[in-house]
């Protein structure tokens, strides 16, 4: 970019080695209005690390608010929007919590200790913000508030249903027929979603969904199409809770155009058992506070799913082997008792 005259408030800086004008020569208003507004979230975050000037300009709340609302339209809800504004750095903090892939697969020592687990202060409310896209076109955007202090929630299996029982949402997705399953592959590649859970008290958020579907298949009984998205987290030191699966299931049905009939979030351990509300909250809060955020490349969900399935297979094999050893030990003990008893009877 060639050097040009600017207003007196703009300082022109030239690299004498190359004769090129540096970024500090561009007026701050131009950078903020015509350059930074064209960047997406990850690029804007990277630009903030380039210089102290860009760090200040990139921290503008309106920039991050625009990016967040464009990425997740569900947060335009008035209460959610106000809540995000109270985060430590506003929408920038929310983006930092929600955009990257959460990586927290180390089992917790605390959650396996009943005494320490019972002393954890649990949040009283969770807010879910859900956005579903097909080929980058928004087909569903909704928020759901949920109390987490009732005895029913804490003791029952954790489950969040986004839609009401008789509610359905029309989509532009055409049904590909019962015999041809190639359209299911297209659905798997082009359907994307985010399920962000917000903790209003701690002012933190986490995205519990893989961006892309892990599997898309027909339900064996109803024939409805089910797309599954998931996130794997570390549970506790019990073998069946070493890893837990947060799974979002989108159920669609219809003859011509698919309708979204159900969107649900559940948590399961490695034996396929649903976790209670209390256990789920304990794991979720630790993951939000201690989990690392990593920028994903799109296939993290499938990678985590395959690792989860492989670990389940290993634990199942170990369980079967332990049961065989125990059976043999019981048989040997029974034989010893049998011969000892008759030896005592015959030779006393």
């Amino acid at each position: 970019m060639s050097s040009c005259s600017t207003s007196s408030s703009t300082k022109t800086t030239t690299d004498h080695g190359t004769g090129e004008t540096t970024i500090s020569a561009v007026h701050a208003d131009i950078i903020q209005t015509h350059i930074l507004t064209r960047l997406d979230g990850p690029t804007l975050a990277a630009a903030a690390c380039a210089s102290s000037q860009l760090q200040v300009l990139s921290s503008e709340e309106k920039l991050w608010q625009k990016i967040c609302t464009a990425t997740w339209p569900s947060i335009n809800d008035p209460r959610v929007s106000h809540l995000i504004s109270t985060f430590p750095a506003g929408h920038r903090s929310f983006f930092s919590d929600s955009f990257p892939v959460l990586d927290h697969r180390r089992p917790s020592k605390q959650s396996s200790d009943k005494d320490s687990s019972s002393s954890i202060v649990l949040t009283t409310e969770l807010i879910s913000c859900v956005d579903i896209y097909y080929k980058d076109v928004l087909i569903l955007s909704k928020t759901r508030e949920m109390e987490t202090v009732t005895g029913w929630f804490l003791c029952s299996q954790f489950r969040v249903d986004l839609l009401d029982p008789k509610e359905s949402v029309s989509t532009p997705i055409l049904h590909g027929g019962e015999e041809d399953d190639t359209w299911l592959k297209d659905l798997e590649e082009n359907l994307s979603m985010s399920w962000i859970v917000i903790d209003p008290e701690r002012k933190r958020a986490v995205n519990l969904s893989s961006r892309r579907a892990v599997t898309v298949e027909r339900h064996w009984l109803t024939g409805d199409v089910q797309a599954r998205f998931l996130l794997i987290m570390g549970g506790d030191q019990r073998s069946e809770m070493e890893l837990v699966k947060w799974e979002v299931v989108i159920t669609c049905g219809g003859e011509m155009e698919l309708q979204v009939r159900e969107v649900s979030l559940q948590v399961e351990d490695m034996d396929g058992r649903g976790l209670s509300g209390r256990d789920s909250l304990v794991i979720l809060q630790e993951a939000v506070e201690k989990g690392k955020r990593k920028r994903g490349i799109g296939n993290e969900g499938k990678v985590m799913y395959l690792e989860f399935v492989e670990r389940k297979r290993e634990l199942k094999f170990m369980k079967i082997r332990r049961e065989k050893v125990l059976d043999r030990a019981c048989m040997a003990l029974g034989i010893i008792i049998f011969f000892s008893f008759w030896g005592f009877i015959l030779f006393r």
Side-chain angles (χ1 to χ4, degrees):
M1 180 173 62
S2 61
S3 177
C4 61
S5 59
T6 59
S7 62
S8 58
S9 60
T10 305
K11 179 181 178 181
T12 302
T13 305
T14 303
D15 187 336
H16 296 286
T18 62
E20 296 179 353
T21 305
T22 63
I23 189 66
S24 60
V26 183
H27 197 283
D29 290 341
I30 296 177
I31 295 175
Q32 203 164 54
T33 305
H34 298 285
I35 299 178
L36 298 183
T37 54
R38 299 174 182 269
L39 305 181
D40 60 12
T43 308
L44 183 60
C49 301
S51 69
S52 58
Q53 180 192 17
L54 287 178
Q55 182 180 18
V56 174
L57 297 177
S58 300
S59 301
E60 177 63 35
E61 171 67 6
K62 290 183 179 180
L63 288 173
W64 289 103
Q65 183 177 11
K66 180 181 178 181
I67 289 173
C68 288
T69 54
T71 307
W72 305 291
S74 58
I75 68 172
N76 281 309
D77 178 88
R79 189 198 171 193
V80 175
S81 180
H82 172 72
L83 177 61
I84 294 175
S85 67
T86 65
F87 276 40
H91 284 78
R92 183 159 59 95
S93 292
F94 178 79
F95 186 90
S96 177
D97 278 348
S98 305
F99 181 80
V101 177
L102 179 68
D103 184 10
H104 183 71
R105 280 174 278 180
R106 179 176 298 179
S108 169
K109 296 181 180 179
Q110 188 178 38
S111 57
S112 61
D113 187 344
K114 292 184 178 180
D115 293 334
S116 60
S117 176
S118 60
S119 64
I120 296 176
V121 179
L122 300 177
T123 186
T124 60
E125 182 184 20
L126 293 176
I127 301 176
S128 295
C129 300
V130 182
D131 299 285
I132 304 176
Y133 290 84
Y134 176 69
K135 293 185 176 179
D136 296 326
V137 176
L138 183 68
I139 61 175
L140 175 60
S141 181
K142 192 168 184 177
T143 61
R144 173 74 75 179
E145 299 177 8
M146 179 175 61
E147 292 185 358
T148 60
V149 292
T150 63
W152 177 86
F153 171 83
L154 294 174
C155 298
S156 300
Q157 180 176 330
F158 182 94
R159 180 185 173 97
V160 183
D161 289 300
L162 186 67
L163 303 179
D164 295 328
K166 296 183 179 181
E167 184 181 4
S168 63
V169 179
S170 299
T171 74
I173 307 172
L174 298 178
H175 196 293
E178 298 293 337
E179 298 181 356
D180 185 11
D181 286 344
T182 56
W183 66 282
L184 296 180
K185 185 65 176 178
D186 172 78
L187 196 60
E188 181 179 332
E189 294 175 352
N190 294 291
L191 192 66
S192 61
M193 78 163 303
S194 64
W195 187 306
I196 298 175
V197 173
I198 302 175
D199 183 342
E201 296 178 2
R202 291 173 173 78
K203 294 179 173 49
R204 296 296 303 271
V206 62
N207 196 336
L208 295 178
S209 169
S210 55
R211 177 169 173 77
R212 300 294 179 185
V214 173
T215 61
V216 176
E217 54 192 7
R218 301 180 193 273
H219 190 274
W220 66 274
L221 180 61
T222 64
D224 288 343
V225 176
Q226 292 187 323
R228 300 179 183 275
F229 301 76
L230 59 79
L231 179 68
I232 305 300
M233 288 186 189
D236 60 36
Q237 293 182 322
R238 290 172 288 180
S239 59
E240 72 277 6
M241 291 273 287
E242 177 185 337
L243 296 173
V244 297
K245 177 177 65 174
W246 295 76
E247 184 176 59
V248 179
V249 180
I250 302 176
T251 303
C252 303
E255 296 181 357
M256 297 297 293
E257 294 182 347
L258 291 182
Q259 293 182 330
V260 179
R261 296 176 175 174
E262 184 179 286
V263 184
S264 62
L265 171 66
Q266 299 183 76
V267 192
E268 294 182 355
D269 63 16
M270 301 188 75
D271 284 341
R273 292 192 294 263
L275 270 64
S276 68
R278 179 176 184 81
D279 289 341
S280 301
L281 276 184
V282 171
I283 293 172
L284 178 63
Q285 288 185 182
E286 177 161 342
V288 170
E289 295 173 2
K290 298 182 180 180
K292 297 179 180 179
R293 269 70 172 181
K294 296 183 178 180
R295 183 174 181 178
I297 57 176
N299 65 339
E300 296 77 18
K302 282 197 172 184
V303 172
M304 287 190 290
Y305 176 71
L306 293 176
E307 291 177 354
F308 182 76
V309 171
E310 177 63 20
R311 186 56 182 158
K312 281 182 64 175
R313 188 192 66 80
E314 293 176 357
L315 289 178
K316 184 178 181 180
F317 176 77
M318 292 171 60
K319 185 177 180 180
I320 293 174
R321 188 170 61 180
R322 285 197 300 265
E323 289 176 351
K324 287 183 178 179
V325 172
L326 182 60
D327 288 343
R328 291 173 182 173
C330 290
M331 290 177 61
L333 180 61
I335 293 172
I336 293 173
I337 293 176
F338 175 80
F339 282 105
S340 298
F341 173 76
W342 284 107
F344 175 76
I345 295 296
L346 296 175
F347 299 106
R348 61 179 180 175

